[in-house]
Amino acid sequence: MKTWVCDSGQKLEIFIPFLGKYRPLTGRCCQTCTPRSWDGFYHAQLSSLGFCSAAQVTEEDTRYRGWLVRRLCCFLAVWDWKVPADTPRDLPERVYRSRRVRDVAAGQARGSEGDSESRRRWKEKALEILAGIQAPLSLPVLRLCSWVLLRLLSRLFLSVQLHRGQLEMVLRAATTPDVPLVFLSTHKSRLDGLLLSFLFFSHGLGVPRVTVGSLNCSPRLRALLRRLGGVFLPVGMEQTSSGQDGGLPGAVLASYVEEVLRSRQPLLIFLEEPCAPRRLSAAAHEWLAPVYRAVRDGAVPDVLLVPVGIAYDLAPDCLEGSGAHGARPLSLSACLWAACRALRRRLGCARVDFAQPFSLQEFVAKTLSRQSSAGKPPEELLLPTILGTHQPHSERAEPEGLAPGTAPGSEAEDKMMVTKLGLHALSDGTACSAVTAVGITSALLLHKHRQGVLLSRLMSDFAWLLEETLVRQRDVGFSGQLRALVRHSLALLRAHVALYHLAPPGDVLVVPEVSVEARWELSQHSAALLPVFAGEAVGACAIRALLLEMLPFVGAAACPSSITLSQDELLHKTLALLQLLPPSLLGLQPCQPLEHQSQDVLDKLILCGLLEADESENERWLCDLAPRPFGKWQPWAEVDFTDSDSDSEDVCKRCFKLRDPEGSPGLLLFLCRLLSPVLETYARAAAFLEQPSWPQPEAACAGALQQFLAEKDGLERPTWSLALSTLRTFKEMGVLEEAPSPAGPLLHLARPFRSSEGRGKLRAFIQQFVQP
C-alpha cells in the first residue's frame, strides 16, 4: 500500500500492483499426486484476462442492439444460451440394460421362475429408482428460472466475481476428446447449487447435473429441481457406507453416473455441507464412488476433476436450518419467501474460483504407488505422547488406510481411494477460495482487537493482513480504496459491531459486541483465514506450549525474546499438534507426510520473522563471507576435513530465539488465537468424556456432544463439523473404541482413559496449545 498526495492536497490510498486487473492464478494442482497435470490447460497469460461479474448482463451479451434491447438484454441473453449436451433420450433403457443392474436384478430374482412378469417388475423398480434420481431437463423452465435468478443475484450481491482466466482454463479442458468434466465444489450456502448451475449455463459450459446432498425437499420442490438439473441419491443410500454396492439402488446410481459421463454432461458434486465445513460429507462419498468406479472399470477413459471454491462476504443463510437433518421438508413456498426476505439487504460480493483441472486416472495411479509407504496408526503415534510413555514418531497413517492383508480392488481399497480423492479435492477447493474483506475485518476484531480499536488503526492492520495474505499466494475477492473496503465490511457486520464517533480526534472507535452470538458470527467469518495461516498458526501454538513448559524455570518476568527454543523440541510439539488435528480441518494437503509438514511449519515461522536462528560468534564467522580483518585466529583451522566417520563428537543442535517481527506487532498472539476456536472445541470435547453415559452409539454420542458444546457456548447451532471431527480424532487416537452389539457398534472409553488421571492428561495435552 502506498499513499500519494495529489495537487489538491487530498491523500489517495492505492493498492499496487496486486489488487488491480492482473493477478496470479491460484489453485494449481498438486505436483505430488498429479505431476503430469501441472502444465495442462494452464498458461501464464491467463492471469491477465481480468474479472467479470456474472450478475451483470448488458447489450453486448446479446446478438441484438438498440434501445429496446438495452431494456430486455437479460431476457434475450438467457434465451440465447446454449445447452451443449443433454441426457440421451434412451437413458432409462440404457440404465436397465447395463451390466450392473442386470446382475443385481438376476441375483435378487434367483429362486423365482424368471419369467417375463418377474423381469417386468424388476424393470419397473429400476426405472422408478432412476426417476427419483433425475428427470429430463425442461429448457423453458430452465431459461425462466435462470432469468429470475439473474435478477435475484443482481439484487442480492454487489457483484458475482469470476476470473476470466480460470474460465478459459476450464473451457479448454471441456474440449478434451472423450474426457468429461466433474466439478468438486466447496459448499457455503444452499444457494450454491443454483449459482454454479447459472454460471455454467451462462458461460458455455452447459447445464450441469448438480448433486443435492442432505437437503430434505418437498415433492414439488424436488420435481422442480430435477427439471433444472438436480440429481438426488436414491432413498436409503445415505445410510449405506461408501464402498458398498447398495443393492439395486446402488447399481442404478452407478449406471446413471456412467451414462452422464459418457454423454459428457458436466457433473457438480458438493464435497461438504454448509453446516459442516471442511469435512467430507456422506453424500459426497456416495457420488464420488461411482465416478471412481467408472474410470477403474473402463466405462470412460478418464475424468478431469475441477475443484471449485466459493466465497461470500455474507453467505445467504435464509434457508439454514430448514429441510436438513430430519427437519420438516423444505417447500417451494418457503424458498420464495426466503428469497423475498433476502432482498431486504445486500450481502456484499460473491466470488467463484476454479482450480486447475487434474486427471483422476493419474491421481489414482500415483496414490496406489505410494500406498505401501503408509505410516503407523495414530494410536501408536499420539497416545504415548499424551500418556507420557515415550517420544512420538514423525509419521502418520494415511486417512482411511488399508488394513494389512487387504486385497487390491476390494471394497476397503475403493473406500480408501474415494476418501483420499474427496479430501484432496476439498483441500484444493479451499486453497483456491478467495479471502473476503469481511473475513479479514472479522479476524482482526476477534483475534487482535477484542476490546475495540480506532478506525485508523483498523485500516492499518487491514492493509498489513491483506499483504500477508497475498504474500502466501492467496487471492482476495475485493479491490478498491482502503477506507472504502473497511467501511464496506463494517457495514455488513453492523449487527455485531458498535461504532462511536470521537469528536476531538475526528476518528471512529470500533468495538465488537461481547455477546456469544456476535463472537460466533465473527468466528465463522474469520475461519476463512485459517487455511491461509494454518502452518504459522500451528507453529505459534507449539511455541506457546513450549513457553508454558519453560515458565516455571525462567519466571513470569522473563522477556520472551531472551528465551532460546530448541529445534528438536519445537518439531516435537509441532508434530504432536499436527497428529491431533486432521489436515482437512486446517486446509492442508492430506498427501504430504507429517515430517515434511512440520519442517514446512518451522520454515514459515522463520520466514514470517517469529523465529531467528541463534548462532554463536564462531558459527557466524565461519559462514560469513564478508570482508573481515585478518587476524591470527583462522575460523577454518578448527574444521575437520578428514574422512573420519567417528560419531563421538556432539552434534551442535540448532536453536532459535523468539522475536516480534518488524511491522507485525502481536503476530504470535494473533496466530495462536486464530487456531484457538478449533482447539477450544477439542478441549471441551475432552471434558465431554467425563459424562457417565458410556457405551453409546456413535450417532447418539455425536448428538450429545453437540448439545454439550451448545450448553457450554450458549449457542443454538454450534459448529457441527468440529463435533464430528473430534469424535473421529478420538477414535483414530484410541481414546474411544468400538464394541459390537446387536443394535450396532457402540463407542466406549479405551482402558487408559477410563480413569480420571488418563482423561486429565488428555485435557492437559490439548489445553497447552489453547490461547485464551
Side-chain angles (χ1 to χ4, degrees), residues 586-717:
L586 300 174
L588 301 176
Q589 287 187 341
C591 60
Q592 299 299 324
L594 264 191
E595 55 185 2
H596 295 174
Q597 290 185 5
S598 60
Q599 188 61 50
D600 184 59
V601 168
L602 184 60
D603 295 340
K604 288 181 178 180
L605 292 177
I606 298 174
L607 288 176
C608 71
L610 279 176
L611 294 180
E612 184 180 30
D614 182 27
E615 297 177 337
S616 64
E617 186 66 23
N618 291 343
E619 290 174 339
R620 287 197 292 269
W621 273 79
L622 183 61
C623 301
D624 196 357
L625 299 181
R628 299 276 183 176
F630 191 81
K632 294 183 178 180
W633 179 81
Q634 299 175 351
W636 54 82
E638 299 179 5
V639 181
D640 185 12
F641 293 99
T642 64
D643 296 333
S644 174
D645 296 332
S646 176
D647 297 332
S648 59
E649 297 181 2
D650 295 333
V651 178
C652 182
K653 294 184 178 181
R654 193 179 185 188
C655 297
F656 299 94
K657 281 190 175 181
L658 188 63
R659 58 187 295 264
D660 205 9
E662 184 179 356
S664 305
L667 178 61
L668 179 65
L669 183 62
F670 173 78
L671 293 174
C672 288
R673 286 179 173 176
L674 195 61
L675 193 55
S676 288
V678 176
L679 294 172
E680 287 175 355
T681 303
Y682 271 71
R684 289 193 293 269
F688 169 76
L689 300 179
E690 301 286 347
Q691 303 295 318
S693 56
W694 300 101
Q696 55 182 318
E698 184 173 356
C701 183
L705 176 58
Q706 186 186 25
Q707 183 65 28
F708 179 81
L709 296 176
E711 294 174 356
K712 290 291 183 180
D713 292 338
L715 292 174
E716 297 180 0
R717 44 175 185 173

Side-chain angles (χ1 to χ4, degrees), residues 495-526:
H496 309 294
V497 173
L499 303 179
Y500 301 94
H501 294 271
L502 305 179
D507 210 336
V508 177
L509 179 64
V510 182
V511 181
E513 298 288 345
V514 296
S515 63
V516 177
E517 185 68 22
R519 185 176 179 182
W520 188 88
E521 289 290 342
L522 294 178
S523 177
Q524 294 301 300
H525 294 308
S526 63

